[in-house]
Amino acid sequence: MDKRSIHPVLQGGPLLIAHRGGSALMPENTMPAFLAAAQRWQADMIELDVRATADGQCVVIHDPAVDRTTDGKGLVAHMTLGELQALDAAYHFTPDGGVSYPLRGQGVRVPTIAEVLTTLPAMRLTIELKSADAQAPLFRAIAEHAATDRIIAAGERNAYRTMFRSYAGAKSASLEEALPFVALHRLRLARFGRVPADVVQTCEVYRGRRILTPRLVRDLHRAGVLVHVWTVNEVADMERLLDWGVDGLVTDRPDRLARLLHDRVQRPLPAGLRS
């Protein structure tokens, strides 16, 4: 690929992308996780998920309900921002399989996307929309913070992406955008295909079926599209995918990937490994 054609938010790969901030190390989709990813592990990018509250605010949370990650119960879409931020977003986080819950009661909240953009003004982000109604407040916040050049807008399904045409920044392919290219690739006709996006962010295996192969990585690169793979937590898998030439790894273990990239490409050790 011609490096000059790569969107600035995607340059410098292979990228260390902290999945939900690095959810094996800190409570997912919270400011402590994002700050640790940026400061302790020096991630190139953070991947996070957004939904809309009942009062139209864009908040960072993965699930439709708060039950798994907080001490509350109920749907995000049925709660106001005030109700949501009264919950303990670190309540269920345990780094040791339930032996301890070190951040319970420490004031960890579900953040708004505006808080993330303000607190981390230089961090690159992949923002995964989990509902269509989060689009307007998300894009409004991106514009207000002049953050377009450091955001990849993502959403698995086109139903979540009805406003994406108006977004001027980088985009990750939806499932519906990527599948026609994959079909042509399997027929060895990828030269006739295109993906209307800057990057394909995909898993390697889905429901027992292999999605990603070295040949698909090559075909996507020839089509001018970069490849990020999630969620890659084992060092052996990281090594193999980097050997395939992928452009970024989305991981719950930014500590492991930081060490590997130091060993492979002399990436400077982050503070978390130096200490």
Side-chain angles (χ1 to χ4, degrees), residues 159-187:
Y160 307 152
R161 303 161 57 106
T162 57
M163 297 177 62
F164 270 41
R165 286 188 179 181
S166 64
Y167 179 62
K171 301 181 186 74
S172 174
S174 68
L175 189 63
E176 292 94 338
E177 289 172 334
L179 283 179
F181 185 91
V182 173
L184 288 170
H185 155 81
R186 287 175 175 165
L187 294 170

Side-chain angles (χ1 to χ4, degrees), residues 70-272:
T70 81
D71 58 343
K73 293 186 181 297
L75 296 175
V76 175
H78 293 172
M79 305 175 77
T80 66
L81 178 61
E83 291 169 335
L84 196 64
Q85 292 198 319
L87 303 176
D88 185 344
Y91 187 80
H92 292 292
F93 172 71
T94 173
D96 46 25
V99 175
S100 66
Y101 297 85
L103 294 179
R104 274 187 182 177
Q106 301 300 307
V108 180
R109 304 182 306 165
V110 174
T112 66
I113 194 62
E115 289 178 78
V116 177
L117 295 173
T118 299
T119 305
L120 297 171
M123 176 57 69
R124 291 182 275 179
L125 304 171
T126 287
I127 301 180
E128 176 84 20
L129 281 139
K130 293 299 183 181
S131 60
D133 55 355
Q135 292 176 101
L138 169 63
F139 292 142
R140 185 165 57 247
I142 292 172
E144 289 172 353
H145 289 81
T148 302
D149 287 345
R150 62 185 179 98
I151 306 296
I152 300 173
E156 181 182 11
R157 307 309 297 256
N158 283 346
Y160 307 152
R161 303 161 57 106
T162 57
M163 297 177 62
F164 270 41
R165 286 188 179 181
S166 64
Y167 179 62
K171 301 181 186 74
S172 174
S174 68
L175 189 63
E176 292 94 338
E177 289 172 334
L179 283 179
F181 185 91
V182 173
L184 288 170
H185 155 81
R186 287 175 175 165
L187 294 170
R188 299 189 177 272
L189 297 172
R191 64 189 180 277
F192 298 114
R194 61 180 296 272
V195 180
D198 301 279
V199 59
V200 167
Q201 296 175 320
T202 181
C203 55
E204 187 179 355
V205 177
Y206 182 68
R207 294 182 178 177
R209 183 174 183 181
R210 172 157 295 281
I211 303 297
L212 195 66
T213 64
R215 186 168 68 85
L216 179 56
V217 173
R218 292 193 298 270
D219 279 349
L220 285 165
H221 282 170
R222 292 188 188 106
V225 181
L226 300 190
V227 181
H228 294 168
V229 188
W230 50 265
T231 304
V232 188
N233 294 330
E234 301 304 324
V235 172
D237 295 328
M238 295 173 180
E239 290 181 326
R240 178 169 40 75
L241 290 164
L242 291 172
D243 287 344
W244 290 3
V246 304
D247 306 287
L249 296 177
V250 185
T251 181
D252 296 320
R253 294 299 304 258
D255 54 337
R256 292 176 179 172
L257 183 53
R259 170 68 70 181
L260 178 60
L261 290 174
H262 171 73
D263 293 342
R264 285 181 65 110
V265 297
Q266 292 73 58
R267 179 190 176 102
L269 281 176

Side-chain angles (χ1 to χ4, degrees), residues 16 18 21-22 25-26 31-44 46 120 123 253-256 258-259 267-275:
L16 190 169
L25 307 178
M26 294 293 282
M31 289 310 309
F34 300 153
L35 288 168
Q39 299 169 2
R40 187 167 176 78
W41 307 118
Q42 294 173 6
D44 299 302
I46 292 170
L120 297 171
M123 176 57 69
R253 294 299 304 258
D255 54 337
R256 292 176 179 172
R259 170 68 70 181
R267 179 190 176 102
L269 281 176
L273 293 178
R274 294 197 303 272
S275 61

